[in-house]
Each structure stands twice: as C-alpha cells, then as structure tokens.
Amino acid sequence: MEESKSELQAEVTDKYSLRGRVFNRLREDILSGKYAKGEELREIAIGAEMGVSRTPVREAIRQLELEGLVRIVPNKGAYVTGITEKDVHDIYHIRSYLEGLCARWACVHITGERLEQLEEIIYLSEFHTKKKHWEQVVELDNKFHEVIYESCESKMLEHILRDFHHYVERVRRISLAEEGRAEHSNTEHTAILEALRARDGERAEKLAHEHIMRTIDNLNRCGL
C-alpha cells in the first residue's frame, strides 16, 4: 500500500514538473520573441519539438492564457498576445512601487552574507560594463534584484517581482546596452546597497523606486 502510494505521488510529481518545464519553455520563447504576436501555437508541432505529448502543451497554453500571454479562440486555436508596449510601461510603473516596498522590508531581514553578495555583484557588473559584456551585465542585474527579493522575507512579493522582472527581460537587455545606462544603474545599485547596509528602510524604498523610474525614462529615450 505504501509502495503504491509512493509510486502515485512520484507519478503526480513527474506530471506537474513536466507541465512546468513545458510552461517555462513556452513562456521564455514568447517573451524572447521566438513566437511573434498573433502567431498560432500549434500543440502537435510544439510537442514534437519538445519531445512531449499534447497534454502538457495544452495545459501550459491554458496557464499562459491566464497570464495574458496567449489568447485561446474556441474552435480555432491559441494565439500569442505577448507583452505590448503598454504592458511594459505598466509593469515598470507597478514595479517601481513594489521594488521600493521590497527594499524597505529587506532592510529588516537582509543578512551580512547577502550584503556581501550584493557588493560582489556590483563589483563584477562594473567590470563587465567597462568591457561592454552586456549578457553578463544583464545576468548580474538579475542577481542583484533577486538577492533583494529573497531578503524581503515575503514569498508573495518575491513571486510577483520575479515574474515582472522576467516579463521585461528582453526590454531590459536593450535598455542596459544604451549608452551610459549600465553605469548609472551600477551607481544606483550602490546607493541602494548603502541604504540596506545602514538599515535605512525609508531611504532604501525611495532609492529602489527612483531606480525603476529612471529605467522608465531610459525606455522612453530608447523609443520602447
């Protein structure tokens, strides 16, 4: 009986992990631009490409519809809606307030180890910025924000911010490569780190909010 129960549990876990992998892959392909806006997502073709049956693909597409990245038309198919220009600006404006709140809460909970992590990330980011290694700069920017998300001690806020951060990754790559933006971003990150180290929640919140707002200004200059 116990063995059967364990086997069933393993089967359920495998099923959901497979669906999760398909969902994450499809979402990444949509956000990266592999699938264009309006393009149909064909279950059979996607399943063949990923080496899975149609069932996890269908489930992933339904989940993507809930996130607003796909529109399912009855008796016709599923079509990519993706992230529009308005979506990007909405996300950044919402993020500006949530990032501020996250930084304020992180001031209470952040550990010395994570503060050192942030310091190292900034150091490496400055190095790669000078070398114009934009892939590394974007990855380090991700890590900087993720450390703060982890430090706020709110799984709900962390989840929302991780998703928002992921949705606009392609746009952030363009923004950080814009002349002077990465340097300014590193300076802003340093100021946020100093506020976190001082446990100054009010200042950390203000700086984190302003950091995202400056990104919005940069997107406008880039015509995004």
Side-chain angles (χ1 to χ4, degrees):
M1 182 69 177
E2 284 299 322
E3 187 177 346
S4 298
K5 185 177 178 183
S6 298
E7 287 175 359
L8 178 60
Q9 188 174 15
E11 185 180 334
V12 170
T13 301
D14 287 343
K15 176 186 173 184
Y16 282 100
S17 63
L18 175 61
R19 183 178 69 178
R21 289 199 301 272
V22 174
F23 167 74
N24 287 327
R25 168 80 178 276
L26 269 179
R27 183 168 70 165
E28 181 64 34
D29 286 345
I30 291 171
L31 294 174
S32 69
K34 177 180 176 180
Y35 293 110
K37 183 179 178 181
E39 186 173 347
E40 184 179 1
L41 296 176
R42 301 180 183 276
E43 292 176 8
I44 295 176
I46 292 169
E49 181 185 345
M50 296 188 185
V52 300
S53 69
R54 292 178 64 178
T55 301
V57 176
R58 188 180 301 117
E59 291 172 344
I61 288 173
R62 286 174 182 157
Q63 183 64 33
L64 288 165
E65 183 183 36
L66 293 175
E67 292 206 0
L69 296 176
V70 168
R71 179 171 61 94
I72 297 176
V73 181
N75 303 317
K76 287 190 176 182
Y79 300 87
V80 173
T81 55
I83 296 289
T84 66
E85 184 178 321
K86 181 180 184 302
D87 292 334
V88 170
H89 283 263
D90 287 350
I91 286 170
Y92 270 102
H93 275 95
I94 296 167
R95 266 189 69 197
S96 70
Y97 292 99
L98 294 183
E99 292 265 358
L101 179 62
C102 183
R104 176 184 280 273
W105 287 357
C107 277
V108 178
H109 303 289
I110 196 164
T111 64
E113 183 180 352
R114 282 182 173 155
L115 288 169
E116 288 178 8
Q117 228 180 321
L118 291 175
E119 187 172 10
E120 183 180 1
I121 288 167
I122 292 170
Y123 173 81
L124 290 171
S125 184
E126 288 172 345
F127 170 81
H128 287 295
T129 297
K130 288 175 184 175
K131 300 289 185 181
K132 300 188 184 300
H133 297 161
W134 303 125
E135 283 296 319
Q136 288 88 339
V137 170
V138 171
E139 183 60 32
L140 289 162
D141 180 76
N142 285 342
K143 287 182 179 177
F144 181 87
H145 288 275
E146 284 172 2
V147 170
I148 297 177
Y149 299 163
E150 291 164 1
S151 300
C152 77
E153 293 294 324
S154 168
K155 64 182 180 181
M156 300 306 297
L157 184 54
E158 180 181 351
H159 173 72
I160 292 168
L161 284 170
R162 280 182 184 277
D163 273 353
F164 277 171
H165 211 233
H166 189 64
Y167 286 163
V168 295
E169 184 163 337
R170 187 159 60 116
V171 173
R172 287 192 304 107
R173 289 176 184 276
I174 298 170
S175 177
L176 284 169
E178 182 73 8
E179 186 67 35
R181 178 55 199 155
E183 289 85 353
H184 289 308
S185 181
N186 288 330
T187 300
E188 292 158 20
H189 283 176
T190 300
I192 293 169
L193 170 59
E194 290 171 354
L196 289 169
R197 187 176 278 128
R199 309 286 174 175
D200 188 338
E202 185 175 346
R203 181 164 174 74
E205 181 173 17
K206 178 175 179 291
L207 290 170
H209 171 73
E210 290 174 350
H211 172 59
I212 303 301
M213 292 304 292
R214 288 195 183 99
T215 302
I216 295 173
D217 291 340
N218 193 58
L219 292 179
N220 292 333
R221 285 195 296 272
C222 294
L224 297 172

